[in-house]
Amino acid sequence: MKHVVSQEWLFEHGIQDHIVIADCRFILGQPEAGKQSYDIDHICGAFYFDLERDLSGPKEKHGGRHPLPDPGKLAAKLGRAGIHEHSVVVAYDDQGGAMASRFWWLLKYLGHDEVYILDKGYSAWKEAGYPVTEELPVEQQAVFTPKVRSEMLVNVEQVKDRLKRPGTVLVDSREEKRYLGLEETIDPVAGHIPGAKQYFWKEGLQASGGWKDASEQKARFADLRNADELIVYCGSGVTACPNVLALSEAGFDNVKLYAGSWSDWISYKDNPVATGKE
């Protein structure tokens, strides 16, 4: 797989100087839980990246529940973790890869290609008997220079402009009942962006918790193969990222993230909302 490394690979290579490990564990609604888990134990040498403090900016009226972070602030944190242009970075979480995928996407967005996700996540690593520690890594003084790839991103106006554009497909990454508008436990309005197709992000994983391979992802997204452009969203721009990764594994290179996602879309009263099957 292009973007996923195995436990065996990380165990063999993780202690090399140019490899940096990022712990991205985070539980939505329990903002301290990830850091508390990290403090108990983590993969040796891993630096902690908090979804809301490090991988998101401050919440405002528009922009969604997890706006993108300021590139300079995130770059400074990446430098303190020892990440520079020659680093190979491996991220993990315990949430099926959702938080680690957000980290993966952000590094790609900031111009860093050598970033990967650990297959199956932290608990599986620990259960397999690989080493963990409570020791905190030493802060580094590397310089990470962001080179923002704005073409990876779309905003609310760009989504509106594309709503009925032939060849552009919106991909909703949330579970079906939220997409259909039958249930909404997080955002104040239920439903989806009109015309969007639903591909729940967890369908990119095998029953074992590992990532499906390229051929399985290709089959999963077969109906999208003729699209000129794919715009992926979710509730707040986090669980869309594993779908962006899966689409890339499947060979799609025309994929953009609507980072504000549903929570940004519904912050504008005039934006249309659809419910039920498309």
Side-chain angles (χ1 to χ4, degrees):
M1 288 185 277
K2 282 188 294 194
H3 306 301
V4 181
V5 297
S6 67
Q7 296 173 350
E8 295 82 3
W9 187 92
L10 187 59
F11 178 65
E12 274 179 43
H13 300 276
I15 54 168
Q16 295 174 6
D17 286 345
H18 67 295
I19 292 179
V20 182
I21 304 170
D23 185 314
C24 303
R25 284 177 285 173
F26 190 91
I27 299 174
L28 290 170
Q30 299 176 48
E32 303 305 320
K35 178 66 164 61
Q36 288 165 355
S37 297
Y38 171 83
D39 288 339
I40 293 166
D41 55 35
H42 48 265
I43 295 178
C44 304
F47 287 83
Y48 184 68
F49 284 82
D50 186 284
L51 172 67
E52 292 184 345
R53 292 192 183 103
D54 303 318
L55 307 181
S56 304
K59 192 176 160 191
E60 296 175 1
K61 183 181 178 185
H62 300 297
R65 284 182 281 108
H66 293 107
L68 295 186
D70 173 81
K73 278 188 183 161
L74 179 54
K77 167 89 181 185
L78 294 168
R80 291 194 296 275
I83 299 171
H84 52 76
E85 64 178 336
H86 301 300
S87 300
V88 173
V89 189
V90 178
Y92 68 85
D93 61 29
D94 234 353
Q95 285 71 43
M99 311 301 158
S101 292
R102 168 79 165 209
F103 178 91
W104 168 89
W105 185 91
L106 280 166
L107 257 68
K108 295 273 187 187
Y109 175 65
L110 296 182
H112 192 86
D113 281 323
E114 289 288 317
V115 56
Y116 305 90
I117 301 239
L118 175 65
D119 202 23
K120 297 182 181 176
Y122 183 71
S123 288
W125 168 275
K126 192 174 170 180
E127 284 160 15
Y130 290 109
V132 299
T133 184
E134 61 182 24
E135 282 183 37
L136 299 180
V138 177
E139 197 169 278
Q140 303 294 305
Q141 298 204 323
V143 175
F144 182 91
T145 306
K147 302 180 182 80
V148 173
R149 292 168 168 158
S150 53
E151 70 277 5
M152 291 174 58
L153 193 63
V154 291
N155 61 29
V156 65
E157 291 304 326
Q158 291 168 310
V159 174
K160 279 164 77 173
D161 287 346
R162 288 161 162 83
L163 273 191
K164 289 181 179 167
R165 182 189 287 182
T168 293
V169 179
L170 284 166
V171 174
D172 188 314
S173 307
R174 299 170 303 159
E175 57 192 317
E176 188 178 44
K177 56 193 173 185
R178 289 182 70 197
Y179 167 83
L180 293 173
L182 298 175
E183 180 183 292
E184 184 51 73
T185 55
I186 304 172
D187 292 308
V189 178
H192 60 268
I193 300 174
K197 296 182 183 299
Q198 190 252 347
Y199 287 84
F200 185 34
W201 72 272
K202 283 190 176 174
E203 288 163 4
L205 303 174
Q206 300 163 332
S208 65
W211 288 79
K212 290 179 177 175
D213 65 22
S215 62
E216 291 171 301
Q217 302 288 12
K218 221 172 253 182
R220 181 177 162 227
F221 295 119
D223 289 348
L224 302 176
R225 63 182 174 274
N226 295 322
D228 298 325
E229 176 186 54
L230 297 170
I231 294 174
V232 187
Y233 76 93
C234 57
S236 67
V238 177
T239 59
C241 294
N243 260 351
V244 173
L245 185 148
L247 283 160
S248 181
E249 287 286 350
F252 292 85
D253 57 6
N254 51 353
V255 183
K256 295 177 171 68
L257 176 71
Y258 172 26
S261 284
W262 181 246
S263 53
D264 176 54
W265 183 260
I266 59 170
S267 72
Y268 297 90
K269 288 199 299 283
D270 296 337
N271 279 352
V273 167
T275 54
K277 292 266 189 204
E278 285 280 341

